[in-house]
Amino acid sequence: MTASDSTATELRHFLEIDDLSASELQTVLERAETYKRAQHAGEDHEDLEGQTLGMIFQKPSTRTRVSFETGMTQLGGHAVFLGEDDIQLGHGEPLKDTARTLSRYVDAVMARVFKHDNIEVLAEYASVPIVNGLTDDAHPCQTLADLLTIREQQGGFEDVSVAWVGDGNNVAQSFAVGAALTDLDLTVATPEGYAIDDDVLERARDLGGDPTITTDPTEAVADADIIYTDVWISMGQEDERDVRMNDFQGFQVNADLLSHAPDASVMHCLPAHRGEEITDAVVESDHSIVFDQAENRLHAQKALLSWLLE
């Protein structure tokens, strides 16, 4: 398929994790496992030969850029990096014009931007699939990798308990919905004022999820199979540092917290601010599966792209 042929097939975007149904999500995760086995065995899997992914980056990233670019190469395709200074992203050219122009050149677009509205505008006007590489509201590609990691580590999702400890940020919000899609038992512990948005929790509940909400991290991790955390100060929140560092006291994932869940594995989407939301000792411990999680960004995104473009 070329960019000009894309309108002949059903156009699908991936802006939120629940843009996939529960069964579609399982299909993508199964495909990711297949790709991972193929790569580790040195087997070719060039399912997107000759296709091009445009990658828009308003926010910089290590894992997102390298995993998508490497993934397209391994699938036999090509990726084009488009930084904020490389294109007129909302500066001098409307986003809707960027979407329509790129649709004439590439087979799909991945965009990592600040405002969620921007990814929605791209999707509204594009005639190729748009993939949300991150917005301030959601990080569904991370959730794909998270779920792949849990599926591998736990042998599935049945009777698996996950505790989110920290900020109810974009990663937490996408994960909460992803947990509902896979029937994970989720407990979310955030300080007062940092909870996951009510509308996100409602979406999770509409999908059959029933996340437990608390402000007590010790309560949250009791009997957890997985403890998941992320930074307390995200990109663009640097001016809130002093307030946040005070508000998140007691929410660090450290040896003391792990003593309440001694068999739990620990996840972090990275980059980690070691010594803040998580200690160096925990990241480097046998509890940590953060680098398996990071690797799985590659396999999950390859599966997503091939599913969207097939």
Side-chain angles (χ1 to χ4, degrees):
M1 182 180 73
T2 66
S4 60
D5 295 329
S6 63
T7 54
T9 64
E10 181 186 3
L11 180 60
R12 295 291 301 268
H13 301 300
F14 185 67
L15 310 187
E16 302 269 11
I17 189 66
D18 49 339
D19 285 339
L20 299 175
S21 68
S23 62
E24 289 169 341
L25 176 57
Q26 295 296 339
T27 296
V28 171
L29 294 177
E30 289 167 5
R31 186 174 298 195
E33 291 177 337
T34 300
Y35 281 142
K36 186 171 185 176
R37 287 193 297 270
Q39 184 197 331
H40 286 189
E43 299 170 355
D44 290 339
H45 44 285
E46 297 185 349
D47 294 342
L48 296 182
E49 185 176 2
Q51 299 196 47
T52 300
L53 174 70
M55 305 190 303
I56 297 174
F57 281 86
Q58 191 176 41
K59 282 186 171 186
S61 171
T62 300
R63 278 148 292 277
T64 299
R65 177 176 180 180
V66 177
S67 58
F68 270 108
E69 191 162 339
T70 301
M72 281 300 292
T73 300
Q74 292 178 356
L75 289 169
H78 178 66
V80 178
F81 176 83
L82 301 167
E84 190 172 20
D85 295 332
D86 299 319
I87 60 174
Q88 299 184 48
L89 186 62
H91 302 291
E93 180 177 63
L95 275 172
K96 60 185 180 181
D97 290 0
T98 299
R100 288 181 288 200
T101 300
L102 288 178
S103 295
R104 302 296 181 101
Y105 300 144
V106 303
D107 298 278
V109 174
M110 184 281 297
R112 183 178 171 92
V113 297
F114 285 94
K115 294 180 179 179
H116 195 77
D117 288 351
N118 286 348
I119 201 85
E120 292 179 335
V121 170
L122 288 171
E124 181 180 355
Y125 288 94
S127 56
V128 298
I130 301 295
V131 173
N132 179 0
L134 177 141
T135 67
D136 286 345
D137 292 348
H139 198 352
C141 287
Q142 181 63 54
T143 298
L144 281 181
D146 299 340
L147 295 174
L148 178 60
T149 305
I150 293 169
R151 179 181 164 117
E152 288 179 335
Q153 210 261 350
Q154 297 289 323
F157 301 116
E158 187 175 358
D159 297 324
V160 176
S161 175
V162 182
W164 175 276
V165 177
D167 190 13
N169 60 12
N170 50 0
V171 176
Q173 297 199 146
S174 289
F175 185 79
V177 178
L181 283 167
T182 50
D183 294 325
L184 286 170
D185 179 12
L186 177 64
T187 301
V188 178
T190 65
E192 292 284 355
Y194 295 93
I196 290 174
D197 290 347
D198 287 342
D199 64 324
V200 174
L201 293 175
E202 189 62 31
R203 278 168 51 207
R205 293 181 179 118
D206 287 345
L207 290 166
D210 187 22
T212 299
I213 308 300
T214 180
T215 57
D216 184 344
T218 302
E219 174 188 329
V221 304
D223 301 320
D225 299 300
I226 304 283
I227 298 171
Y228 193 175
T229 192
D230 191 15
V231 295
W232 297 339
I233 304 156
S234 298
M235 197 178 304
Q237 296 174 336
E238 290 81 6
D239 59 343
E240 303 174 25
R241 178 177 181 80
D242 290 344
V243 172
R244 284 176 169 264
M245 288 297 292
N246 179 69
D247 291 347
F248 281 91
Q249 291 301 307
F251 282 81
Q252 184 184 73
V253 177
N254 53 29
D256 181 62
L257 190 66
L258 279 175
S259 71
H260 299 280
D263 297 323
S265 297
V266 175
M267 294 172 57
H268 192 303
C269 61
L270 300 179
H273 295 170
R274 300 184 187 213
E276 293 183 10
E277 76 280 355
I278 192 168
T279 62
D280 182 81
V282 169
V283 174
E284 300 295 341
S285 72
D286 291 339
H287 292 276
S288 173
I289 54 174
V290 301
F291 296 107
D292 295 326
Q293 186 184 358
E295 177 189 344
N296 282 338
R297 289 289 303 276
L298 172 65
H299 309 301
Q301 288 160 185
K302 284 161 63 176
L304 173 69
L305 289 170
S306 69
W307 185 82
L308 287 170
L309 290 169
E310 68 181 3

